[in-house]
Structure formats: C-alpha cells, structure tokens
Amino acid sequence: MPTKGFWKRKGDEAAGRVTSTKGKKPSSFEQFNASVSDAWGTQDDDLLEREDDGTRNNKLHHQQNQQVGKGESNTINTSKTNVHTELATTTATSTTSTTPPSTMPSNPSTATKKEAVDCEATYISEDVLSTTACDQDPPPSSPKRNTSQASLIVSPRKTPSRNARKGVPTPDSFDPLTRSEGETKSRGELNIGKFEKELNSGNVNLDALKVLSWSGVPSQVRAMVWRLLCGYLPANEKRRQATLERKREEYAELVAQYYDTRLDPENQKTIQQILLDVPRTSPAIETFQQRVVQELLERVLYMWAIRHPASGYVQGINDLCTPFFIVFMEECIDCDFSDCDVSTVAKPLINDIEADCFWCLSRLLDGIQDNYTPGQNGIVEKVEALEDITRRVNGTLVTHLEQYNVAFMQFSFRWINCLLMREMPVACTIRLWDTCLSEPDGFASFHVYICAAFLEMFSQHLLALNDFQDILCALQNLPTSTWSYEEVEVVLAKAFMFKTMFHHAQHHLK
C-alpha cells in the first residue's frame, strides 16, 4: 500500500498546485499557466492502480471467506495446493494462452459454496502469478512484464477501468458523440428531447433555450431554434404562425416595390458589387452555383443594403447569408443540401426561405453593424482586442509574428468581417453559430475570443515558420478542411475561458 502523501516525491513539486513564489506573482497568463501542473502524473496512476486492485481483491476475499463454512476449509486448502501446483507447471512451460477467463456471479452473496471456493482460489493464484512473473526477465520487445497469464486467472468481474472512470475512451466503451457510421454528433444531438420539450412548452423560455443551444442544436430543430434565437419569431407558440405569415408578406412587398431600383444609377455600384460576390459564395458547394440560388441571394443582399444606407452592402456579407439558407433549406428537403436541385423545390417554399433568410440576416447584422460602416471601425477595434488577448495568453506567438512583420490586420480582418465563414467547413461554421447566437450579444463580443482561440490552435505550427510569406500564407490557408464538431468545441471551450478571464476586465489587457 502506498504511504500517505505518496504523490509528493522527493525533488518534485506538489502536483496540481501553484509553485510557491513568495513575494512574486505570475506576470502573465503564460507564467501562471506554466506554474500549474496536472494533478496526477503517470507514475501516480500506476500507484493508484495497484492500490485499487489490492483493495478490491482484499474486500472480495473477505466476503468470500464469510460465505464459506468451516466445513469447507479442507476443500479450500486442497484447491490452493492444486492451483499452486498447476500454476508452477504452466509458468514453466508457457507464457501465453488464449483460454477464456471463467465467469463469476455479479452478486457474490448468492454464489454457491463451490463458486466461492473457486473464486478464492482464483485470487490466491493471482498473487502467486504476480510473484512468479516478477522473477522472470521481461521480453526484449516490451519494457513491462508479461501479464498475459493474469487474464486467465483473474475473475472477469466487470468494473470500470481507470480510463473509463476518467472519461478516456476505451475499446469496450461507447462514445455517444460518434455515430455508428463514424459521423460525429454535436452535443446538442444528444439533447433532442430537451429541445423538443422546450419548443413545445407553449411559451419558450429563451434563457433556457440559449443554455441548451450553447452546446449545439440538433439539426432536426435547428431552423426553428435559430429563428427564435435571432428574435425573428416570438416565444409564444400561438403567435408564431401569424408572425411568420406577416413577416413573409412584408418581405414580398419590399421586393415588389424596391427591387427594380437596382437599375437606378445611384444603386449601380451596390448591385454590381453584389453581382460580383454572389458567384464566389461557397464555391466548393455546387448548390450555390445554381442560378435560382444566386438570384435569391442577390435579392436578399440588395434589399438589406437599401434598408441600411448607413453601411450599405459590404463585400463579405454574402457569406453571412449562407448558413441561414442551408439551415432553412435542410428543414424542407429530404436529401443532402450539396446534392439538392433547388429548382425542383416549390416556388412558395423558396419564397418563404428567402424571406426567413432576409429577416434573420438583418437581426444578425443589427448587432455588428459597426463592422460594415465606412471605415469599418468595429473590425479595427476587434482586431486590436484580438492582438491584446493573444499577447496575454501567448506572448511568444505575438513576438514571433512581430519579428517577421506579420500584422494582425493582415490575416484577422477576414476572420472578423466574414465571421470565420471562409476559414472552416460550412458544417463547422453552423455548429459555431449555434453557440454565438446563444450569446447575450450574439457575435458582438464573443467572436473576438473565438478568433483568439482559433489562432491559438495553430500556434505551434506558426512558431515553426521563419519567413513572412510562409507565415502569412499559413494563416490564410489554415488546415481545417478535415475539422469536425470536436475541433470546433475545443475552440469554443478556449474562447469561453478567454472571455471569462478578460471580458469586462479590461485592465488585464493593459
């Protein structure tokens, strides 16, 4: 048994505790992070493993002794002798075997006397095996001793492994975040029942819905949830259908009344920029190259531009419409979006989707409109904040970028202008938007922390580059094409940590 305080080895600092520095405080997030180590080392796990095994065996051994009557003592002694003899012969002749282990009742109190005797003999033989195996030289190919025979003798009583208890996937464990086909689910997929209960409650609690949506929204209800999170639909279920019909009619009237103004000389610059950008929207997805889809995007973007003359249309807003269009289309079709022929969808349905995209895009941009006003002061401020946050959490990276004259504005402007739409697959962006739409102020403040976490994901790769062109090309073409929900949730977790430390605590950034 390990002695008390076994994890405090000589010459090592106490694991999991901040290093004692009298009169000194960590001067940066990096130094504080470096002063904290993991609570358990690998050697500590080995010691705990032995302690758990020994304690479990002793407890079971004691229970079995109580079950066996005094009249069976001779039988037990005989079993012990036979096992010792058999084990010595087996160990001398073979070091491996494929014989399956014997089974044991899950409830020892109901076991028969013979089963109790066998179980006791089994655990006694395990002790003998560990002594015999330790005396032998380990095989050259492995630094550990051969324990293959232990599986033949140790009773297969099902107890979770240390890895399983700590949440580490094991070969026998089931990971609920992975589909049988290997497709990754978001955590929201596991909460579909909670979403349906909330949406069918009659009067949706938007705060509770945001808490659920922060971890991801199931695709089955994402369209309705996004409409609610954007403020497009009311929380009261009885008012939703009437609101939908009214807002869709309003949009149809706007198009009928104002879309022809695109031909006016004063609007030529706006419509020309839209016509240039729409064909570039998500070029990897063939659905966006269909003419009916491009015409839909042209109308949505032009109508938004003339309703917001303070900013007008700015290059990059076209990307922000695509997640809404994909989500609302997937609500209505049975096939994969990338394989959908939108021209076959009923015209009234397409009109409804177009109207929903317009109103949700308007709600989204209302919170970040300063990003698109002349001078784009909102983006400039966010880029500065991103640099300040990165300097605090990873000063080495900022120094490296400065050494090679790489300015944050050169690569992060697009991240903020297009909300990372061009930096990762569309499915990952949609998962990212589940969380951002659940934030109290949407993308206004949390997105900067997402960008900081996103940059941190590639810090080691960037530190290995020693040329301005290489660094900038790497930042503009980050290897995210194979990303799934797992990587996005790591970014979101880091972003939440950064926001917790720095938001509304601006002195940390000075």
Side-chain angles (χ1 to χ4, degrees):
M1 291 289 291
T3 60
K4 185 177 180 181
F6 63 90
W7 48 273
K8 294 184 179 180
R9 296 182 293 275
K10 292 182 179 181
D12 292 344
E13 297 173 354
R17 300 186 180 181
V18 179
T19 305
S20 176
T21 54
K22 295 184 179 180
K24 298 181 179 179
K25 294 183 179 180
S27 60
S28 69
F29 175 83
E30 286 183 281
Q31 294 175 358
F32 171 78
N33 195 37
S35 67
V36 182
S37 58
D38 187 66
W40 299 108
T42 54
Q43 297 178 356
D44 299 334
D45 282 338
D46 293 339
L47 290 171
L48 285 178
E49 194 79 50
R50 297 171 193 168
E51 181 183 21
D52 289 347
D53 292 342
T55 303
R56 184 167 60 250
N57 292 347
N58 289 338
K59 288 181 179 180
L60 185 59
H61 181 78
H62 178 69
Q63 292 175 357
Q64 292 163 350
N65 279 342
Q66 292 179 344
Q67 294 174 1
V68 180
K70 294 182 180 180
E72 298 293 335
S73 60
N74 293 335
T75 305
I76 295 174
N77 292 334
T78 303
S79 299
K80 292 180 181 179
T81 304
N82 292 339
V83 171
H84 279 252
T85 304
E86 181 181 356
L87 177 63
T89 304
T90 305
T91 305
T93 58
S94 176
T95 59
T96 58
S97 176
T98 58
T99 307
S102 59
T103 58
M104 172 180 170
S106 59
N107 185 1
S109 62
T110 60
T112 62
K113 292 183 178 181
K114 185 177 184 303
E115 291 171 337
V117 172
D118 292 341
C119 289
E120 180 178 351
T122 297
Y123 278 91
I124 293 172
S125 61
E126 180 189 6
D127 295 336
V128 177
L129 174 63
S130 62
T131 303
T132 306
C134 288
D135 294 338
Q136 297 178 350
D137 293 331
S141 60
S142 175
K144 297 181 180 181
R145 66 183 177 88
N146 184 0
T147 57
S148 58
Q149 290 191 21
S151 62
L152 304 179
I153 300 174
V154 177
S155 175
R157 179 181 174 185
K158 294 291 184 181
T159 56
S161 66
R162 290 188 58 79
N163 282 341
R165 290 197 296 271
K166 292 187 291 185
V168 179
T170 58
D172 296 330
S173 64
F174 171 71
D175 184 2
L177 296 180
T178 304
R179 305 179 193 266
S180 58
E181 299 84 5
E183 181 183 354
T184 304
K185 288 184 179 181
S186 71
R187 297 184 185 277
E189 296 280 346
L190 307 177
N191 294 326
I192 179 64
K194 295 180 181 179
F195 277 94
E196 291 177 344
K197 180 179 179 181
E198 189 62 48
L199 293 174
N200 296 326
S201 61
N203 197 21
V204 175
N205 184 337
L206 290 179
D207 291 334
L209 184 63
K210 288 180 178 180
V211 171
L212 285 174
S213 302
W214 206 98
S215 298
V217 181
S219 57
Q220 302 94 314
V221 296
R222 180 175 279 125
M224 179 59 67
V225 170
W226 277 23
R227 293 186 183 105
L228 289 166
L229 294 179
C230 288
Y232 173 42
L233 287 184
N236 188 285
E237 185 177 10
K238 295 180 180 179
R239 296 171 50 201
R240 290 177 199 164
Q241 188 59 36
T243 301
L244 271 178
E245 293 175 358
R246 176 171 56 83
K247 299 298 285 185
R248 288 168 176 172
E249 288 178 4
E250 286 181 12
Y251 176 74
E253 292 174 0
L254 287 173
V255 172
Q257 185 174 357
Y258 294 106
Y259 188 57
D260 288 340
T261 62
R262 70 189 186 281
L263 303 177
D264 296 345
E266 62 270 20
N267 295 325
Q268 283 298 299
K269 184 177 179 180
T270 298
I271 192 62
Q272 287 299 326
Q273 187 62 57
I274 292 174
L275 293 175
L276 283 175
D277 289 348
V278 166
R280 303 171 184 169
T281 304
S282 299
I285 303 177
E286 293 183 2
T287 305
F288 285 105
Q289 309 310 311
Q290 298 178 24
R291 186 56 194 156
V292 62
V293 177
Q294 292 181 355
E295 290 175 350
L296 180 150
L297 294 177
E298 290 169 8
R299 287 191 294 271
V300 169
L301 296 174
Y302 179 76
M303 296 309 302
W304 185 88
I306 64 172
R307 281 176 57 91
H308 297 81
S311 61
Y313 174 78
V314 176
Q315 189 175 11
I317 295 180
N318 58 306
D319 290 316
L320 307 187
C321 190
T322 58
F324 291 119
F325 181 71
I326 293 172
V327 168
F328 297 151
M329 276 294 297
E330 288 183 338
E331 182 186 32
C332 305
I333 60 177
D334 296 329
C335 59
D336 186 78
F337 175 81
S338 59
D339 300 327
C340 176
D341 183 359
V342 181
S343 62
T344 62
V345 180
K347 181 64 175 176
L349 195 56
I350 292 296
N351 292 339
D352 291 344
I353 292 172
E354 180 179 339
D356 293 351
C357 288
F358 171 79
W359 291 115
C360 288
L361 177 66
S362 299
R363 291 283 187 166
L364 171 69
L365 293 176
D366 285 348
I368 54 174
Q369 191 167 353
D370 59 341
N371 288 2
Y372 307 103
T373 54
Q376 297 186 280
N377 293 329
I379 293 182
V380 174
E381 293 175 0
K382 290 179 176 66
V383 170
E384 293 175 353
L386 172 61
E387 183 174 357
D388 290 338
I389 295 169
T390 308
R391 191 181 300 277
R392 291 291 296 175
V393 301
N394 195 340
T396 304
L397 177 60
V398 175
T399 302
H400 183 72
L401 296 177
E402 291 175 343
Q403 179 183 355
Y404 294 97
N405 299 317
V406 179
F408 271 72
M409 186 65 72
Q410 293 173 320
F411 62 88
S412 62
F413 182 90
R414 187 176 73 181
W415 296 5
I416 298 171
N417 185 68
C418 301
L419 302 182
L420 291 175
M421 275 294 303
R422 300 183 184 179
E423 315 307 322
M424 59 181 69
V426 175
C428 294
T429 303
I430 291 174
R431 168 63 190 91
L432 195 70
W433 282 34
D434 288 342
T435 296
C436 290
L437 293 175
S438 304
E439 283 289 306
D441 56 357
F443 289 87
S445 61
F446 190 58
H447 184 68
V448 117
Y449 299 101
I450 291 177
C451 291
F454 185 68
L455 178 61
E456 180 69 13
M457 294 284 286
F458 304 98
S459 60
Q460 295 302 318
H461 174 65
L462 296 172
L463 288 170
L465 301 177
N466 299 313
D467 180 75
F468 169 82
Q469 186 174 358
D470 291 342
I471 294 174
L472 195 58
C473 287
L475 285 166
Q476 293 176 346
N477 299 278
L478 293 170
T480 59
S481 59
T482 59
W483 271 30
S484 63
Y485 289 154
E486 294 179 359
E487 288 81 5
V488 174
E489 290 180 352
V490 171
V491 170
L492 290 171
K494 285 180 176 288
F496 178 79
M497 180 179 68
F498 294 161
K499 182 181 179 182
T500 302
M501 290 188 296
F502 301 123
H503 195 55
H504 295 316
Q506 297 302 314
H507 61 280
H508 284 308
L509 301 178
K510 296 180 181 179

